[in-house]
């Protein structure tokens, strides 16, 4: 609450500087989704993310953008009892210097009457005073979101039908992210990504993960570095795909319905052409026993979740650069 007031007073006093850093949509999602995923799950709400229409590489204030999205998403979860929350992104305009993007969060919650909609984005305003008693909150989140959007050259608003749900939206101008590795301090990550794109761009990977949000995030991280991604929702589907196709590498979740990662790996290793395919486990924990289980099932290595983009790039580079026969010796 105090932080929110400070934020707002800084913005209104013009003492609020936006950062200008390169980032990807996948990184933005990594800032946002882990914050709200658990509470959406806990209420049994489906969370759907549709951000693939956005440019992959952007420049601007990632933290403030994430803050605005988290404000909308946590409200949507708070005011929705059943149904679905959708986070959507689209590109409205493109110039030589940047993009005008629109982000929206749609919910199937209680909705807001037209009279109340007009006031919502004012500081300290809540749809009705019983809201505070029922849900708590400061009434500052939306005011901050609108100020952030305006600082970024956009605006914020809502379309809503009481009893059906709301669509909270904001627009923002963002710069175009650099494609080339910069000479900044963060070069370790950038150069790995750049090498991946240059040396391995276009290679086909299989991503096996049952949890839709984790799958979406991992897919975006992989596509960001130019890899072609096919996905499977469980071990059995993965096995069926591996029977038909060659993959440069397979990323395999451990716990899945129908067939888990261990069983799927053992079965894939029996297939012709897959003795040496690098298979990397996606594990929720890094206990020694878990690593042993992965390796003895025939996996080459493991990555812990939530996936760290820098570590992912490094490990992909290591296994994609290996000649396949030496990978076979490692198994
Ligand atoms: P708060 O901290 O009170 O949630 P906000 O500025 O984020 O402050 O929201 C202000 C008010 O707007 C909320 O108290 C609620 O009445 C209304 N509101 C915000 N989001 C939604 C939503 N998704 N559905 C229904 N009402 C909402």
């Amino acid at each position: 609450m105090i932080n929110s007031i400070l934020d707002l007073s800084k913005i209104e006093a013009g003492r609020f500087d936006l950062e200008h850093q390169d980032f990807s949509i996948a990184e933005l999602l990594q800032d946002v989704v882990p914050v709200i995923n658990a509470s959406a799950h806990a209420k049994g709400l489906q969370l759907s993310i549709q951000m693939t229409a956005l440019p992959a590489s952007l420049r601007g204030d990632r933290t403030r953008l994430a803050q605005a999205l988290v404000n909308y998403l946590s409200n949507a979860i708070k005011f929705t009892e059943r149904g679905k929350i959708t986070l959507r992104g689209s590109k409205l305009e493109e110039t030589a210097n940047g993009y005008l993007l629109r982000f929206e969060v749609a919910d199937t919650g209680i909705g807001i009457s037209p009279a109340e909609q007009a006031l919502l984005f004012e500081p300290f305003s809540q749809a009705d005073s019983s809201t505070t008693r029922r849900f708590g909150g400061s009434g500052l989140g939306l005011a901050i979101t609108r100020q952030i959007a305006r600082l970024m050259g956009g605006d914020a608003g809502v379309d809503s039908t009481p009893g059906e749900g709301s669509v909270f939206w904001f627009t923002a101008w963002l710069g175009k992210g650099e494609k080339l590795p910069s000479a900044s301090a963060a070069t370790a990550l950038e150069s790995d990504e750049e090498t991946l794109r240059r040396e391995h761009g276009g290679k086909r990977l299989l991503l096996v993960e049952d949890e839709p949000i984790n799958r979406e995030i991992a897919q975006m991280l992989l596509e960001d570095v130019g890899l072609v991604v096919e996905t499977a929702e469980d071990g059995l589907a993965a096995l069926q795909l591996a029977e038909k196709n060659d993959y440069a590498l397979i990323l395999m979740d451990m716990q899945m319905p129908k067939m888990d990662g261990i069983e799927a790996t053992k079965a894939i290793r029996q297939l012709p052409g897959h003795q040496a395919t690098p298979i990397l486990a996606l594990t929720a924990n890094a206990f020694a026993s878990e690593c042993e289980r992965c390796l003895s099932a025939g996996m080459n290595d493991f990555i812990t979740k939530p996936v760290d983009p820098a570590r992912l790039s490094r490990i992909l580079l290591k296994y994609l650069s290996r000649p396949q026969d030496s990978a076979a010796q490692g198994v």
Side-chain angles (χ1 to χ4, degrees), residues 108-252:
T108 54
I110 59 175
I112 304 152
S113 73
E116 290 161 342
Q117 287 173 33
L119 295 170
L120 278 190
F121 287 83
E122 299 302 324
F124 301 108
S125 129
Q126 296 185 322
D128 63 71
S129 51
S130 68
T131 304
T132 322
R133 287 195 297 276
R134 265 177 72 205
F135 298 103
S138 62
L140 287 173
L142 295 178
I144 291 172
T145 297
R146 184 164 69 183
Q147 295 293 9
I148 291 173
R150 288 185 176 169
L151 276 176
M152 295 185 183
D155 208 345
V158 61
D159 299 312
S160 181
T161 310
E164 287 183 18
S166 313
V167 178
F168 279 85
W169 59 266
F170 69 88
T171 54
W173 278 99
L174 287 155
K176 295 183 171 179
E178 288 276 340
K179 288 282 185 297
L180 296 168
S182 79
S184 72
T187 44
L189 166 62
E190 287 167 357
S191 64
D192 275 354
E193 289 183 338
E194 205 43 43
T195 317
L196 264 177
R197 194 175 289 117
R198 186 168 42 76
E199 291 183 358
H200 304 288
K203 285 193 177 168
R204 187 153 69 143
L205 263 62
L206 178 61
L207 169 66
V208 193
E209 165 70 74
D210 62 322
E211 212 283 310
I213 304 282
N214 286 343
R215 192 168 62 236
E216 176 109 11
I217 291 178
Q219 179 168 3
M220 292 185 105
L221 288 171
L222 296 166
E223 287 175 352
D224 267 5
V225 293
L227 296 162
V228 179
V229 184
E230 275 173 40
T231 59
E233 296 180 12
D234 58 64
L236 196 59
L239 180 59
Q240 286 160 356
L241 282 169
E243 276 169 0
K244 288 182 290 187
N245 305 307
D246 281 336
Y247 295 104
L249 188 146
I250 298 174
L251 282 168
M252 181 75 80

